[in-house]
Amino acid sequence: TFFQVTSVSLFIAEVYTPREVNTDGSIAAEDLNERQWQSTDVEVDRSDGTKDSESFTAAAARDQFQEELVIRPLHSGDIYASFQFRTLWDIDFLQERQKVSHYRLFPKSLGQVLSKFSVRELHISFTQGFWRTMQWGQPFIPSPPGAELWVWFHDTVSDVDGNWKELTNVLSGIFCASLNFIDLTNTVQPSASFKPLGLGNATDHRFLRYATLPREIVCTENLTPWKKLLPCGSKAGLSVLLKSEKLFHSSFHSQAVHIRPVCQDEQCTSKAWELRQTLNVVFDLYTSSQGKKEWSLFKMFSRTLTEACPLATSSKIYVDITDNPELFELNPVTPLLSQAVVLGDRRTYSVFDLTRAETFGQLCSLNLLLRDMLRPLLHAERYVAGFGLQTGEIHTVIYNNHPYRAFPVLLMDSVPWYLQLYIHTLTVTSKSRDNKPSYIHYQPAKDRHRPHLLEMLIQLPPHSMTEVTVQFERALLKWTEYTPDPNHGFYVGSSVVSALVPSMVAMNTNFTQDQPLFSSFVPVKEESSYFVRVYTEPLLVNLPTPDFSMPYNVICLTCTVVAVGYGSFYNLLTRTFQVDEPSLPLEKRLANLIRRIRGVPLLA
Amino acid sequence: MGLFMQHLCEPDTLCHHFLMVCYLAAIVWFMGLAFEPFTLRTYMSENAMGSTMVEERFSSGERALSLAKEFDAHKRKAGGMPMEWLVKAMQARGLEVFTQSFSRKLPFPDENKERYMVRGTNVYGILRAPRAPRTEALVITAPCSPGNSNNQAVGLLLALAQYFRNQIFWAKDIIFLVNEHDLIGMQAWLEGYHHTNITGYSPLQGRAGSIQAALSLELSSDVITSLDLILEGLNGQLPNLDLANLFYAFCQKLGVLCTIQGKLQRNDWDTAEGYTHAAQTMMLMVLKQACGRSWGDHGLFLRYHIEAASIRGINGFRHYKMDVATIGRLLEGMVRKLNNLLERLHQSYFFYLLPSLSRFVSIGYYMPAFGLLAVILLLRALDLWVNLGAPALEAVDGVTEAEQPSGPGVLTVLTPVVISHLTGVALYLLPVHLQEMAVEHFPVSETEAVVLTAVAIYTAGLALPHNTQRLLSGEGTEQGWKVLKLTALLYLAVLLGCTALINFSLGFILAVTLVPITASMTPHMPKALSALAMVLLSPAFTILYCVFIYQELIEAPVSVSEGWMLFLSVISQGILDHALYGSLVYPLLALFIYPCWLMFWNILFWS
């Protein structure tokens, strides 16, 4: 069976582990057995006795792999499926300054990138579609349409821009994406909006780089390399469900990779690298099932689950049953229930633990009904106002739907240089009154070198709509700077609204291992509020575009006229014509020399 | 050269004949544009819409009709836009639904449509394309009209929304809009969507990025015999020709009879009837374009660089009828092709005239007709210029000449120019602002008051020359009228040239009437006869002729008194269009063309 094959390959891998040989000297057969237990059933392993497992964890690297799928029926009638795969790599090469050549669960391609470019934290996301906050609520991990990349470099790096350039090119290769189009003209260094999510509080934003490619199209060629980073690939476990023909037959698709340093344990004695691979997808029940509100794993993914990934320490499926459980019919029924407070909302989940054999019975299939939804507390949208091709106005509208609490948000806008912002026209109005931002960080653009960066801290009054407007003028590009399809328009990336939103229920601030992955991505520091990041839609702006067919004709015609007419005239006018005596070949000249000596008439 | 020009452009000289030939050539050239061998066949320029033929599957015509009935019932019950029902109907079809309420007060009551204080609601639903980042959108609109009309359009709109919602291939969001109070609602929606404040602002919630194209649907019967395509928009703007090509291609594919200007295409171009038919179609387009109003709900989109057209179902007396499902398939095909677009429609022509749906006249072909007319003005101006520059030569030739020490003062020219323009400003401002006073003193309605004030001011302007002369010290000199005429000629040439670039039809019609009389105007002509000719060729009479020609062309001839009433309503519509939608024809005529004409009127009465 497949399971045995993996365990054998695992065994082979570990024979050659230098560490293991160093500490143990040899490998005991019982250890191997233990490991098989470990990878299939955690419960048994724990009950077996702590001594063995401890010796095991001390012996091998304490790498861990967890997988998780959250299914949440949305109020609009759609189904939101969120995968998270978390790999922990127990090593701190930045501290130890050593070459790492052994990789167990952590993908080698990424590990090498981390060490080569001294990356402290890396977040990359590829998204096709727009998360409809008003219909779907908040996503577990937000991301803007297109590609987004933000990286914190270690503070020992001297040439950050050079590293960034190389890193984007390498990542472009790894993920088969156009990340190599990231250059200085679309990179910014936000001063406040993107703080590191992992250990350490770096505050010097010189080591931060942020870039988006709103035009990036995400498809199967990005999914395949992403799947290859998983320890089980797409062979076993939850990743079996990741079939591209279904994932891309959806309303929203987003895949991401987040790498950051985290604490290895509760006391935080040692650091570890955490790799989170997330994939969020929203299936449109309306189009796929002809009006019947019914779904199952097979209907969504055209696959069913048969086993957990053998390398995973935990493998779970959570189904959100908070909304009116009597309207749901979940099959098979699971006794396990879990409560978690996510994004300021206490929700109940049915848990299916794939590491238990009894879970595999029937598939999930449940019927659900529509219900009115709560408005999301924070929500933002953006559009271009005006007409004509000379000027325009960017409007960003941020809604605070909290009934009685005001809270501050950080708004970050990165606008390409060819929209020349008139920053003196910047206005922020809430409830038709001027709302002065308490912090403004503005870096003007340099033509063809860097984009505008605008960051503001705005206080949103309760239950209000805040409108941020700024006028711009459209630049006339050089004719080689136009894209091949200039009449399509030029993209402006999403603006980012980051906020600590006051929570309706108390948040759990304890850091424990038992928390589901989806609720533990952004560490919660306070009980009363939670962190939310909202992306607005990208903008498509038309720039004044010349008629490219006309210059083309003119250039062709002019070149022909110049080449044929002027060229030949110039030739005729400047050239002097002389009758040229052909010089005799060498043998004739020799013959003539002899003839001259002999006194015979010369040859012609 | 100077000598040559100076002598030759007097009456009965070669130059004079040359100018006459220019004028006739312009007319002949223009009429020749409708002759089929001189025109080009239309072709699809946009690659994204060309070879990828789509398969149309829309079949729920019955559902569309039942929805239309339901809509009708709710419309009657609500006495206007059945907002709640429409919102529910759209939500049930899986759209994101938003409403926009607006209110407008017209400057004076619109007697044609019987409205003054307008209050209404637009309802629109957005079909979000899967995996698209809300950057591009298409719009399909149907008006919610009073009475029985356009119910089928709304029904078809909802049926299409339901069908489109189940498809996976959309790359652009699709906005289904039902607008109340036709153009006023459309204007409010467009201003709200683009947050522009041209005439008044009503905020709007949901958006879907930049709109790439829009189709407006008008359908008032369950079966139709033909579909009419309407292209003329505000200020004579036209959508890209590819949109018309797209419509024509699908009409051909589905075997739907299609018309433009309500006229079917004929194949007998070589007969006199065939040519007349094409010429009539083209003339109708020229007249419609020249009047600068929006001839369908699509017309207001064009300002925002959104290609748009109206499609109107006509139920005539033909034997062959088509059902709603066929129109649905046609729209489905068009929307799917537009959905395939990678760039905005830009490949084909934006400036064209259509003698039929399959033939077009591009800007390169029709512009010479205008150019020939403009040449007359410029040659006349050149002649005057040379004349003014060589007064000595004139004396030698013994032409009558007033003794004068220096050139005419700036004042001689400036005074008539300023006074004519002030009259223009009065014509532009006073009718609307004086309506209350007029209603108080005369037994007329507000609309009549506005129009009659305009006519009165226009007529009063004719008395200007005497007043102008009184302001001037001393008599006008020979030099004086020449300088004034030179200024006026150049002014008119620039005005007409700019107008023709933006709206060819308007520029050409004005040039045809204004050029002959202005080019030959001197104070030495017989006063009464010239004055009559000038009045008969003045801008107001041009509008009157256009009204009669238009009525003749749409085969609804009117009597003189009916024509006069129509003329008055055209003027009131022109003023309303300017106030409501920002149409520029009325200010152009009042502020520029009429003062320019007055300057020539001044020359005629130069003493």
Side-chain angles (χ1 to χ4, degrees):
Chain A
T1 63
F2 173 70
F3 170 62
Q4 280 162 348
V5 174
T6 1
S7 64
V8 169
S9 67
L10 184 71
F11 164 58
I12 291 167
E14 283 181 7
V15 170
Y16 297 102
T17 309
R19 248 190 204 190
E20 193 157 4
V21 175
N22 285 345
T23 47
D24 267 356
S26 64
I27 303 156
E30 57 204 71
D31 244 342
L32 230 171
N33 286 337
E34 282 300 329
R35 213 157 301 135
Q36 288 188 3
W37 280 113
Q38 168 87 14
S39 50
T40 48
D41 199 329
V42 187
E43 305 297 319
V44 179
D45 180 40
R46 278 183 192 152
S47 64
D48 228 32
T50 49
K51 188 177 165 284
D52 279 344
S53 63
E54 263 173 23
S55 73
F56 164 75
T57 45
R62 285 173 297 175
D63 290 7
Q64 262 189 26
F65 177 65
Q66 290 169 279
E67 54 181 11
E68 185 181 286
L69 165 63
V70 189
I71 295 174
R72 183 165 163 190
L74 299 169
H75 297 277
S76 59
D78 302 317
I79 296 288
Y80 174 30
S82 170
F83 291 87
Q84 287 213 24
F85 302 92
R86 180 183 190 233
T87 312
L88 270 183
W89 186 21
D90 182 29
I91 192 164
D92 194 1
F93 52 75
L94 287 174
Q95 293 290 309
E96 294 167 27
R97 301 243 154 259
Q98 59 178 3
K99 273 274 187 205
V100 183
S101 52
H102 170 59
Y103 294 87
R104 194 168 162 266
L105 296 176
F106 199 88
K108 189 173 178 180
S109 54
L110 285 182
Q112 283 177 332
V113 167
L114 290 186
S115 62
K116 175 146 196 286
F117 298 107
S118 309
V119 172
R120 178 193 203 103
E121 210 168 281
L122 184 146
H123 302 268
I124 184 167
S125 73
F126 301 97
T127 307
Q128 185 76 2
F130 183 73
W131 182 268
R132 306 170 196 169
T133 316
M134 285 307 284
Q135 278 76 42
W136 297 342
Q138 298 286 354
F140 293 126
I141 296 183
S143 57
E148 182 197 42
L149 173 65
W150 56 285
V151 175
W152 276 95
F153 289 96
H154 211 265
D155 49 15
T156 52
V157 177
S158 53
D159 178 18
V160 181
D161 281 332
N163 267 21
W164 169 248
K165 180 88 200 133
E166 261 186 84
L167 176 68
T168 51
N169 279 289
V170 168
L171 290 175
S172 165
I174 292 178
F175 292 104
C176 285
S178 325
L179 296 173
N180 51 326
F181 283 106
I182 293 177
D183 53 15
L184 291 182
T185 60
N186 50 19
T187 303
V188 290
Q189 303 170 32
S191 65
S193 295
F194 288 88
K195 291 291 166 206
L197 291 175
L199 276 181
N201 33 0
T203 46
D204 191 350
H205 64 270
R206 280 185 300 132
F207 298 102
L208 169 64
R209 290 294 180 276
Y210 174 88
T212 52
L213 295 173
R215 219 188 160 163
E216 182 72 12
I217 290 168
V218 184
C219 203
T220 44
E221 81 259 27
N222 306 106
L223 183 66
T224 313
W226 184 90
K227 278 198 289 194
K228 279 188 181 160
L229 300 176
L230 295 170
C232 285
S234 51
K235 303 277 194 305
L238 290 176
S239 49
V240 168
L241 300 177
L242 303 176
K243 280 286 157 193
S244 52
E245 76 264 25
K246 281 292 181 184
L247 289 185
F248 290 102
H249 198 283
S250 57
S251 296
F252 175 83
H253 172 97
S254 168
Q255 59 189 66
V257 169
H258 302 274
I259 303 172
R260 59 178 179 178
V262 292
C263 290
Q264 174 66 35
D265 45 28
E266 280 178 57
Q267 288 76 39
C268 210
T269 48
S270 63
K271 271 205 251 178
W273 286 95
E274 183 200 63
L275 164 68
R276 269 186 203 243
Q277 288 179 256
T278 64
L279 189 140
N280 295 300
V281 61
V282 176
F283 292 100
D284 186 355
L285 276 186
Y286 200 94
T287 53
S288 56
S289 62
Q290 277 86 45
K292 265 194 279 173
K293 299 264 186 265
E294 181 178 79
W295 58 270
S296 66
L297 281 185
F298 187 78
K299 249 189 196 161
M300 285 195 286
F301 300 104
S302 77
R303 287 288 181 284
T304 53
L305 287 171
T306 49
E307 60 186 339
C309 171
L311 300 173
T313 51
S314 106
S315 176
K316 285 176 180 159
I317 297 181
Y318 293 83
V319 179
D320 191 333
I321 53 162
T322 320
D323 301 320
N324 256 355
E326 64 267 24
L327 293 178
F328 285 68
E329 193 187 307
L330 198 59
N331 192 11
V333 184
T334 171
L336 282 179
L337 287 180
S338 150
Q339 277 212 337
V341 179
V342 196
L343 299 168
D345 200 3
R346 189 185 304 280
R347 306 200 72 88
T348 317
Y349 296 89
S350 299
V351 186
F352 297 87
D353 192 344
L354 297 188
T355 48
R356 290 162 182 268
E358 64 265 25
T359 309
F360 296 102
Q362 239 175 320
L363 313 173
C364 316
S365 88
L366 53 91
N367 292 310
L368 57 128
L369 295 175
L370 291 177
R371 248 188 81 209
D372 290 337
M373 70 171 295
L374 290 165
R375 286 163 78 84
L377 289 183
L378 178 66
H379 159 61
E381 56 193 36
R382 195 155 68 135
Y383 61 93
V384 181
F387 60 89
L389 289 177
Q390 196 192 352
T391 55
E393 197 168 34
I394 296 180
H395 285 240
T396 312
V397 189
I398 310 168
Y399 296 87
N400 174 6
N401 292 328
H402 201 289
Y404 51 86
R405 280 195 59 180
F407 57 86
V409 295
L410 261 172
L411 173 72
M412 193 201 91
D413 246 325
S414 159
V415 180
W417 64 267
Y418 39 77
L419 299 190
Q420 295 158 348
L421 293 186
Y422 293 147
I423 204 71
H424 71 276
T425 60
L426 179 74
T427 57
V428 185
T429 43
S430 307
K431 295 183 167 171
S432 63
R433 229 180 296 147
D434 198 32
N435 182 352
K436 202 169 179 300
S438 49
Y439 165 80
I440 293 188
H441 171 73
Y442 175 63
Q443 192 182 33
K446 281 186 190 157
D447 280 4
R448 299 177 177 83
H449 288 295
R450 75 171 186 214
H452 302 268
L453 171 67
L454 179 62
E455 277 184 288
M456 286 186 286
L457 188 67
I458 307 169
Q459 184 79 13
L460 302 184
H463 198 70
S464 70
M465 182 188 100
T466 304
E467 194 160 21
V468 181
T469 63
V470 63
Q471 291 176 9
F472 64 86
E473 188 176 292
R474 301 161 204 242
L476 192 61
L477 301 185
K478 291 179 181 167
W479 72 285
T480 48
E481 286 169 341
Y482 286 96
T483 49
D485 53 350
N487 284 293
H488 178 67
F490 291 76
Y491 283 87
V492 179
S494 311
S495 52
V496 189
V497 180
S498 321
L500 279 175
V501 177
S503 173
M504 300 289 199
V505 289
M507 304 289 287
N508 187 7
T509 51
N510 298 345
F511 177 76
T512 52
Q513 294 283 354
D514 297 339
Q515 254 181 311
L517 292 181
F518 61 85
S519 64
S520 65
F521 181 61
V522 182
V524 177
K525 303 238 168 60
E526 293 174 61
E527 278 190 5
S528 60
S529 57
Y530 60 97
F531 179 80
V532 164
R533 188 167 279 156
V534 175
Y535 292 92
T536 64
E537 47 271 79
L539 300 176
L540 186 61
V541 181
N542 276 83
L543 295 186
T545 310
D547 177 4
F548 281 106
S549 58
M550 204 275 287
Y552 177 78
N553 289 338
V554 170
I555 289 164
C556 287
L557 188 70
T558 321
C559 288
T560 317
V561 169
V562 167
V564 176
Y566 177 76
S568 53
F569 259 99
Y570 186 75
N571 214 353
L572 279 173
L573 291 174
T574 54
R575 183 175 287 179
T576 52
F577 293 92
Q578 286 174 332
V579 182
D580 196 15
E581 291 284 327
S583 59
L584 294 171
L586 187 65
E587 63 271 18
K588 277 197 177 170
R589 271 191 279 174
L590 277 177
N592 279 347
L593 198 68
I594 298 166
R595 278 171 176 246
R596 196 173 289 154
I597 296 165
R598 282 171 56 197
V600 191
L602 303 180
L603 289 172
Chain B
M1 180 68 189
L3 192 69
F4 178 75
M5 290 297 298
Q6 174 195 356
H7 288 278
L8 291 190
C9 273
E10 298 305 320
D12 294 325
T13 55
L14 192 59
C15 173
H16 190 73
H17 293 308
F18 174 70
L19 295 185
M20 301 245 300
V21 168
C22 270
Y23 186 77
L24 289 177
I27 305 288
V28 171
W29 184 293
F30 178 73
M31 294 318 289
L33 292 177
F35 190 49
E36 199 172 305
F38 295 166
T39 56
L40 293 174
R41 182 163 274 281
T42 53
Y43 54 94
M44 189 76 85
S45 300
E46 177 63 66
N47 279 330
M49 297 198 305
S51 55
T52 51
M53 266 310 196
V54 292
E55 196 182 322
E56 306 85 25
R57 299 232 176 89
F58 178 77
S59 56
S60 28
E62 292 305 314
R63 187 183 294 155
L65 289 182
S66 69
L67 279 167
K69 284 203 187 76
E70 218 173 316
F71 174 73
D72 187 34
H74 283 90
K75 190 166 79 172
R76 277 166 205 282
K77 211 194 291 170
M81 169 76 86
M83 194 182 79
E84 280 169 27
W85 178 80
L86 208 54
V87 167
K88 277 206 185 102
M90 283 186 174
Q91 266 167 353
R93 279 159 187 81
L95 307 183
E96 268 180 44
V97 189
F98 302 91
T99 58
Q100 181 203 24
S101 46
F102 58 91
S103 65
R104 287 299 312 272
K105 182 171 174 277
L106 273 57
F108 55 89
D110 182 352
E111 292 195 338
N112 283 21
K113 295 195 168 153
E114 293 172 357
R115 55 190 181 191
Y116 183 43
M117 305 281 285
V118 179
R119 195 175 292 279
T121 318
N122 293 327
V123 180
Y124 64 104
I126 305 180
L127 194 173
R128 298 287 183 195
R131 298 187 312 291
R134 291 194 183 178
T135 47
E136 293 174 289
L138 302 173
V139 177
I140 308 178
T141 77
C144 166
S145 332
N148 249 340
S149 53
N150 284 323
N151 293 332
Q152 281 79 359
V154 178
L156 181 56
L157 188 87
L158 291 173
L160 275 176
Q162 181 161 8
Y163 172 73
F164 285 177
R165 179 66 181 82
N166 286 314
Q167 310 304 318
I168 192 77
F169 42 66
W170 301 113
K172 299 172 170 54
D173 291 1
I174 302 175
I175 303 176
F176 296 90
L177 167 67
V178 179
N179 57 314
E180 206 178 354
H181 298 300
D182 49 66
L183 285 170
I184 295 181
M186 189 56 85
Q187 175 81 6
W189 189 81
L190 281 167
E191 283 183 1
Y193 194 92
H194 294 95
H195 205 291
T196 50
N197 190 0
I198 307 165
T199 53
Y201 177 65
S202 358
L204 185 129
Q205 281 274 320
R207 288 182 177 78
S210 88
I211 301 172
Q212 305 288 307
L215 292 175
S216 169
L217 186 63
E218 292 171 33
L219 198 63
S220 300
S221 55
D222 291 356
V223 287
I224 57 147
T225 50
S226 62
L227 284 178
D228 191 39
L229 181 70
I230 303 158
L231 297 170
E232 299 85 3
L234 193 72
N235 291 326
Q237 267 186 297
L238 298 171
N240 196 285
L241 187 56
D242 267 345
L243 201 63
N245 294 340
L246 184 66
F247 172 76
Y248 184 60
F250 273 100
C251 283
Q252 299 287 92
K253 187 182 175 192
L254 296 172
V256 178
L257 276 182
C258 54
T259 61
I260 188 156
Q261 321 300 352
K263 291 193 185 288
L264 268 179
Q265 195 176 339
R266 290 173 67 136
N267 293 321
D268 51 342
W269 57 268
D270 43 356
T271 62
E273 290 85 45
Y275 168 74
T276 322
H277 188 79
Q280 281 176 348
T281 315
M282 193 181 76
M283 273 308 292
L284 266 176
M285 177 159 186
V286 167
L287 287 175
K288 280 183 168 182
Q289 197 191 1
C291 85
R293 62 184 300 198
S294 172
W295 285 83
D297 284 354
H298 72 282
L300 300 174
F301 282 92
L302 297 170
R303 187 210 303 270
Y304 298 89
H305 193 15
I306 300 165
E307 307 313 319
S310 287
I311 297 171
R312 182 176 293 161
I314 291 172
N315 194 9
F317 300 105
R318 281 170 203 282
H319 185 62
Y320 181 66
K321 308 247 181 200
M322 276 155 306
D323 58 346
V324 179
T326 317
I327 308 168
R329 273 205 292 282
L330 182 119
L331 283 173
E332 184 203 348
M334 287 183 74
V335 174
R336 282 190 64 179
K337 283 273 186 98
L338 291 170
N339 178 58
N340 286 348
L341 279 183
L342 298 175
E343 301 182 63
R344 276 172 186 281
L345 284 175
H346 69 284
Q347 302 274 14
S348 194
Y349 294 87
F350 284 97
F351 297 96
Y352 53 86
L353 296 176
L354 292 174
S356 72
L357 255 180
S358 64
R359 294 271 163 181
F360 77 103
V361 181
S362 80
I363 184 168
Y365 285 73
Y366 66 59
M367 232 29 193
F370 177 79
L372 286 169
L373 292 177
V375 156
I376 299 176
L377 293 178
L378 293 176
L379 278 184
R380 274 290 172 193
L382 187 66
D383 176 39
L384 272 175
W385 174 256
V386 172
N387 233 323
L388 281 168
L393 284 172
E394 262 180 79
V396 172
D397 288 7
V399 180
T400 49
E401 192 204 356
E403 274 305 314
Q404 55 173 92
S406 63
V410 181
L411 208 63
T412 5
V413 182
L414 206 59
T415 320
V417 172
V418 169
I419 290 182
S420 344
H421 278 89
L422 285 179
T423 321
V425 172
L427 179 58
Y428 174 64
L429 291 178
L430 292 186
V432 177
H433 286 103
L434 287 187
Q435 51 169 316
E436 281 175 25
M437 211 169 80
V439 170
E440 270 177 35
H441 291 89
F442 300 99
V444 285
S445 71
E446 277 107 331
T447 319
E448 283 171 330
V450 170
V451 178
L452 293 177
T453 316
V455 174
I457 295 174
Y458 188 91
T459 324
L462 301 184
L464 266 188
H466 313 289
N467 307 328
T468 319
Q469 303 306 327
R470 212 172 296 153
L471 277 175
L472 291 174
S473 54
E475 289 194 337
T477 57
E478 191 72 10
Q479 287 278 38
W481 74 259
K482 282 186 180 165
V483 173
L484 181 59
K485 188 177 172 186
L486 175 63
T487 319
L489 278 176
L490 290 177
Y491 184 43
L492 185 64
V494 170
L495 262 182
L496 291 180
C498 293
T499 311
L501 277 182
I502 300 163
N503 184 347
F504 165 77
S505 306
L506 182 60
F508 185 75
I509 289 179
L510 287 175
V512 165
T513 51
L514 286 176
V515 162
I517 195 73
T518 54
S520 57
M521 184 55 55
T522 65
H524 309 303
M525 297 166 88
K527 286 272 180 317
L529 205 63
S530 317
L532 184 67
M534 266 213 86
V535 169
L536 285 181
L537 289 175
S538 75
F541 275 85
T542 311
I543 298 176
L544 189 64
Y545 305 145
C546 286
V547 168
F548 280 109
I549 297 174
Y550 178 75
Q551 291 299 329
E552 201 63 42
L553 286 176
I554 60 167
E555 290 157 16
V558 287
S559 67
V560 177
S561 62
E562 283 172 323
W564 174 251
M565 292 317 289
L566 269 178
F567 169 70
L568 294 185
S569 92
V570 162
I571 292 176
S572 73
Q573 289 300 313
I575 299 175
L576 273 180
D577 277 356
H578 173 58
L580 288 177
Y581 320 118
S583 157
L584 293 174
V585 175
Y586 177 63
L588 176 83
L589 289 178
L591 293 174
F592 297 103
I593 302 288
Y594 173 63
C596 189
W597 179 85
L598 272 184
M599 281 153 75
F600 289 101
W601 182 255
N602 248 315
I603 295 166
L604 181 63
F605 292 100
W606 197 268
S607 53

